[in-house]
Amino acid sequence: MADYTGFLCSSEYEEKAMSAFAYYIKRKIKWERFRLNGVLDERLERFLLEFDSKEFDTVELTQTGCPYINLPSSWDQYLTASLGPKTRRNVRRSFTEMENVDDLTVTVADKTNLVPQVDALLALWQKRWGSKQRNYLDHIHNVFESCHHNDCLRIMLLWDMNTPVAGVASFPDRHRQTIFEFFNCYNASYTQIRSPGQLAVAHNIRYAIDHGFQKYDFLRGDEKYKYALGAEERYASNVIILRKALGTKLRILADRGLARIERFKAFE
């Protein structure tokens, strides 16, 4: 479920732990290709040195965008310094429109309304992005309930009377003074206010600024709206480690051959 990953260990054992971890992967697990996805950890390069080039090849794949915003101390400063003229104008207009529509309200999940708020958000998300397997949605429910129990969940929804218009699920990390946005969604058929999805995210960013958070982390994905809202570039690494063995090389060649055949069939 993690959007990006890294190493977890006590700092005083870091070197020994990393070597032991690499040894276990190399000698105790049977594999031909070992994939590391979405690693956002400066120690990755050190870890890869454990895989000797005499036995292993390391292939670096296209990196994954993980943009974030360094938050200023005030909302007005954010609007002025972080946004371009067009986005700044749109955000201000959206907030003004929200204030002028009588039936528009914002709710935040708490212990009294957590389940219906989560249900409404996931239903809105399904409507926007299509159906998902039931067990996946159940798992999301469990994650949200656990995070709420540990005071690291924020779900906000924008409503027009009883109709959810847009919403954001995020994970506040007060120790790191960072809010991690898990996902946002909106009702594409709603036209009473402009850009309801952008408005919901901007509302969440304003909450983060007003409550002293220093960073707004969009997690994985380089969607344009994140950069329009002031995000900076940052990338997670994707790496494949290959054993230098005849069987591995033959399998790779076979995979490449199948891929060429599929492309040829598609062309036909």
Side-chain angles (χ1 to χ4, degrees):
M1 296 298 296
D3 268 34
Y4 46 73
T5 60
F7 298 97
L8 294 175
C9 68
S10 298
S11 58
E12 63 267 31
Y13 301 111
E14 189 170 285
E15 285 296 317
K16 292 182 179 180
M18 196 165 292
S19 294
F21 184 40
Y23 176 83
Y24 182 85
I25 292 171
K26 289 186 293 185
R27 307 304 178 206
K28 302 296 183 180
I29 303 175
K30 292 183 179 180
W31 53 273
E32 295 176 342
R33 286 174 290 184
F34 191 85
R35 181 184 290 266
L36 295 161
N37 285 334
V39 182
L40 192 64
D41 193 314
E42 60 186 12
R43 296 167 292 184
L44 175 61
E45 186 175 352
R46 160 68 183 84
F47 175 72
L48 293 176
L49 291 176
E50 296 285 340
F51 294 82
D52 192 291
S53 60
K54 295 179 181 179
E55 295 185 70
F56 304 95
D57 286 324
T58 300
V59 181
E60 295 186 9
L61 306 178
T62 302
Q63 294 180 312
T64 302
C66 301
Y68 68 98
I69 304 172
N70 281 320
L71 299 174
S73 57
S74 72
W75 174 247
D76 287 338
Q77 186 179 354
Y78 166 74
L79 291 175
T80 302
S82 300
L83 304 185
K86 182 178 179 180
T87 304
R88 180 167 56 248
R89 184 169 58 251
N90 288 341
V91 169
R92 282 175 169 161
R93 285 179 178 176
S94 295
F95 271 88
T96 300
E97 290 171 355
M98 182 180 71
E99 293 168 357
N100 292 334
V101 177
D102 293 335
D103 295 323
L104 281 179
T105 58
V106 173
T107 61
V108 178
D110 57 32
K111 62 182 180 180
T112 67
N113 66 2
L114 177 63
V115 173
Q117 291 284 293
V118 171
D119 287 341
L121 181 67
L122 293 182
L124 189 63
W125 183 67
Q126 271 192 296
K127 183 178 180 180
R128 180 74 179 92
W129 299 110
S131 62
K132 286 283 185 179
Q133 294 180 357
R134 185 69 253 172
N135 59 352
Y136 175 80
L137 295 179
D138 289 342
H139 185 62
I140 294 293
H141 249 290
N142 293 336
V143 169
F144 283 169
E145 289 180 12
S146 177
C147 289
H148 182 267
H149 179 73
N150 289 280
D151 193 29
C152 58
L153 175 71
R154 186 172 195 267
I155 288 179
M156 63 81 60
L157 282 162
L158 176 63
W159 300 78
D160 185 353
M161 298 186 67
N162 296 321
T163 302
V165 176
V168 180
S170 54
F171 303 121
D173 185 334
R174 292 171 178 81
H175 177 71
R176 293 178 175 82
Q177 296 182 302
T178 300
I179 284 189
F180 299 88
E181 184 186 295
F182 184 51
F183 69 76
N184 68 79
C185 51
Y186 66 94
N187 185 343
S189 63
Y190 191 85
T191 58
Q192 283 85 331
I193 57 174
R194 73 184 71 235
S195 305
Q198 185 184 72
L199 173 59
V201 176
H203 196 283
N204 211 41
I205 293 173
R206 185 170 187 173
Y207 165 86
I209 294 172
D210 291 345
H211 287 78
F213 288 91
Q214 295 182 359
K215 184 179 292 184
Y216 193 91
D217 194 322
F218 284 103
L219 297 179
R220 180 177 55 195
D222 56 358
E223 293 85 354
K224 291 182 179 179
Y225 80 88
K226 298 177 181 179
Y227 300 102
L229 288 170
E232 300 178 33
E233 297 276 11
R234 183 184 54 180
Y235 295 96
S237 298
N238 301 295
V239 177
I240 296 179
I241 304 171
L242 303 167
R243 287 193 190 274
K244 285 186 174 180
L246 178 60
T248 301
K249 293 180 179 179
L250 290 175
R251 187 183 294 273
I252 293 169
L253 290 172
D255 289 347
R256 289 175 178 172
L258 288 173
R260 291 192 186 99
I261 291 172
E262 291 301 320
R263 287 197 296 270
F264 181 74
K265 288 181 178 179
F267 179 77
E268 285 184 319

